[in-house]
Amino acid sequence: MNNKNVVLAYSGGVDTTACIPYLKHEMGCERVVAMTADLGQGEDLESIRLKALQAGADEAVVIDAQDDFIARFGIPAIAANALYDRQYPLSSALGRPLIAELLVAEAQKRGFQYVAHGCTAKGNDQVRMDLAVQLLAPGLKMLAPAREWKFSRAEAVAYAESFGIKAHVSQAKPWAIDVNVLGRNVEAGFIEDLGWETTAEVWSMTRSPEQAPDQSECVTIGFDQGKPVSINGAKVSPRDLFSTLNELGGRHGVGRIDMLENRVVGLKSRELYEAPAQILLLVAHRDLEALTLPSDVTKFKRGLEEKWAELVYNGLWHSPLKLALDAFIGTTQERVTGEVTLRLYKGSAWVVQRTSPKALYRLDLVTYGSDCTFKHDSAIGFIDLFGLPSRIWSEVGNRPLAEVQ
Ligand code: ARG
């Protein structure tokens, strides 16, 4: 009854592999179940599952969560126009609350008291995993071997090898990679040198502008109530939509990001991201909102979008504030229906056409043509009242510029 049984979030990497013997031999776990979530990382997950068993896991499961990931995490992030630190579309961050949900479900299904992750103490992912589990299942206890041990990467490999486990990744790269259907993140290695300009081998989803085609290309993305649903007029599944846009954007060098990021734990780190589909969707979605949302809603929402991105980045996906913001954002999306055409060319994507059955654009009012129905006379009275408070301020002797008296 009081056996220490645990479900471990397992990626197949060095750290999580070394976690398996560590949980058993140093942390006294009886049963270790390795759980790998398929978020579209494009790896051979069956061999990752076998690797967990070879490392001593009592059971190893792979859960296909791609559709759920896109529908419940990727698409809401587009509705929120989410960019952390103005650049990062949260592709890696969005995966963690889902992995935590799956971990909790696996533990509860088996009646286990423990869950575990292989995150280290310096990253954001530990915060996301810990907080999500605490909010979802307060009774579950989290074990985090890689936060506890004092191993360097080489020592972690040596530790695993002492149990006869091959933890080494074949042709190890000098950086850490995290991939899912929303994008790819690369950190560590040369990237830590802020003076090092990246070279081709760190990128994989995107071409450089130099390698991108000399011919530009257009794509039309259709949205239904804020959700992307079609490409060039044809309905597509969310999975196909992401893979098509990742391929198209990547081919034109769109969605490459090299940025300095403010981590939750207070550090600044240099991060490389590739997220072509998300960047294309964000450009198109923002434009469709400009066409379909009233001015005050758009502007009010903008402030909340930054907060939403920060909450998600900080691991507060399941927090009350994030859920309340979801409700607001959800309401705003009811009219965000229509099509946006982007032109892609050598690392850039910009809007060239937009149309919506819910458009708030009124040609009869805005046109400079002779058939304009805008009430010109109203403008004078409007400015009279609009400027009244500032004018009173000026009339009582204040001047915006000291030298003009
Ligand atoms: N810095 C990024 C973030 O916080 C990337 C994290 C990638 N995770 C990883 N285990 N490599 O979202």
Side-chain angles (χ1 to χ4, degrees):
M1 186 62 198
N2 289 323
N3 289 353
K4 209 169 168 186
N5 295 329
V6 64
V7 184
L8 164 72
Y10 184 71
S11 71
V14 175
D15 284 335
T16 44
T17 301
C19 279
I20 296 175
Y22 199 92
L23 283 166
K24 293 208 136 189
H25 302 287
E26 325 300 328
M27 298 180 101
C29 292
E30 195 118 335
R31 278 184 75 75
V32 176
V33 175
M35 186 214 77
T36 306
D38 182 358
L39 302 185
Q41 51 270 59
E43 286 175 276
D44 174 5
L45 297 183
E46 179 54 17
S47 51
I48 287 181
R49 200 183 73 80
L50 295 176
K51 190 172 176 185
L53 293 174
Q54 280 154 12
D58 299 280
E59 201 188 323
V61 292
V62 173
I63 295 169
D64 180 357
Q66 248 193 97
D67 290 330
D68 209 22
F69 184 44
I70 296 174
R72 286 181 45 230
F73 297 82
I75 289 175
I78 302 303
N81 296 321
L83 287 175
Y84 177 73
D85 273 348
R86 300 203 165 185
Q87 295 188 76
Y88 170 32
L90 297 168
S91 36
S92 285
L94 288 160
R96 269 57 195 182
L98 176 54
I99 297 171
E101 285 180 13
L102 297 169
L103 209 55
V104 167
E106 289 298 311
Q108 287 175 341
K109 197 163 81 185
R110 292 174 171 78
F112 287 9
Q113 311 283 309
Y114 292 86
V115 287
H117 62 63
C119 309
T120 59
K122 278 192 288 197
N124 300 313
D125 290 333
Q126 52 162 351
V127 182
R128 297 169 185 150
M129 296 296 291
D130 285 14
L131 288 180
V133 170
Q134 287 169 15
L135 290 167
L136 290 164
L140 276 180
K141 292 187 250 325
M142 178 63 88
L143 300 175
R147 191 161 54 192
E148 191 167 282
W149 68 41
K150 302 279 182 287
F151 297 157
S152 65
R153 184 52 66 96
E155 285 163 353
V157 173
Y159 174 77
E161 280 174 355
S162 73
F163 292 93
I165 301 162
K166 283 190 65 189
H168 231 310
V169 211
S170 53
Q171 7 143 269
K173 300 232 168 73
W175 39 72
I177 302 171
D178 186 58
V179 194
N180 63 47
V181 65
L182 303 185
R184 180 171 176 271
N185 163 254
V186 195
E187 50 185 20
F190 305 142
I191 301 158
E192 291 174 354
D193 173 0
L194 303 186
W196 182 72
E197 182 174 354
T198 62
T199 48
E201 68 268 25
V202 291
W203 304 104
S204 123
M205 294 175 80
T206 57
R207 290 192 197 179
S208 68
E210 291 81 2
Q211 303 282 303
D214 291 328
Q215 282 297 313
S216 71
E217 193 173 345
C218 280
V219 62
T220 300
I221 305 174
F223 290 84
D224 180 24
Q225 302 200 333
K227 297 186 177 75
V229 290
S230 68
I231 293 182
N232 297 331
K235 285 253 176 294
V236 277
S237 70
R239 231 189 247 216
D240 289 346
L241 183 121
F242 271 84
S243 67
T244 304
L245 294 180
N246 272 331
E247 191 284 319
L248 177 74
R251 183 150 40 85
H252 286 277
V254 175
R256 235 184 217 202
I257 301 151
D258 177 342
M259 68 181 283
L260 263 184
E261 182 175 298
N262 291 296
R263 283 198 190 165
V264 192
V265 293
L267 301 171
K268 287 187 187 288
S269 67
R270 183 188 186 186
E271 305 280 339
L272 308 182
Y273 295 105
E274 296 177 281
Q278 269 194 309
I279 295 299
L280 292 174
L281 289 166
L282 287 169
V283 172
H285 179 264
R286 268 196 307 261
D287 192 83
L288 193 58
E289 283 196 338
L291 180 61
T292 55
L293 295 186
S295 163
D296 57 352
V297 176
T298 312
K299 287 174 178 153
F300 190 77
K301 183 169 179 279
R302 213 171 280 159
L304 302 187
E305 291 168 357
E306 205 171 319
K307 189 69 199 169
W308 192 95
E310 195 181 294
L311 289 168
V312 173
Y313 185 85
N314 289 349
L316 291 165
W317 177 269
H318 299 97
S319 70
L321 178 55
K322 148 74 175 46
L323 297 176
L325 295 184
D326 283 341
F328 173 85
I329 292 169
T331 306
T332 64
Q333 298 305 292
E334 284 163 14
R335 298 181 58 87
V336 186
T337 295
E339 288 192 335
V340 177
T341 302
L342 306 175
R343 187 172 288 283
L344 282 63
Y345 182 63
K346 292 200 176 288
S348 296
W350 61 94
V351 178
V352 291
Q353 286 173 327
R354 63 281 276 171
T355 158
S356 168
K358 310 277 189 195
L360 301 177
Y361 177 77
R362 282 277 300 273
L363 183 60
D364 61 318
L365 289 174
V366 78
T367 181
Y368 285 98
S370 57
D371 46 355
C372 174
T373 57
F374 186 82
K375 286 193 241 148
H376 288 76
D377 299 345
S378 307
I380 297 164
F382 165 71
I383 295 165
D384 195 35
L385 293 187
F386 188 62
L388 185 59
S390 302
R391 234 175 23 252
I392 293 172
W393 176 83
S394 168
E395 279 166 13
V396 299
N398 296 301
R399 286 290 177 274
L401 298 174
E403 65 272 19
V404 184
Q405 286 306 325

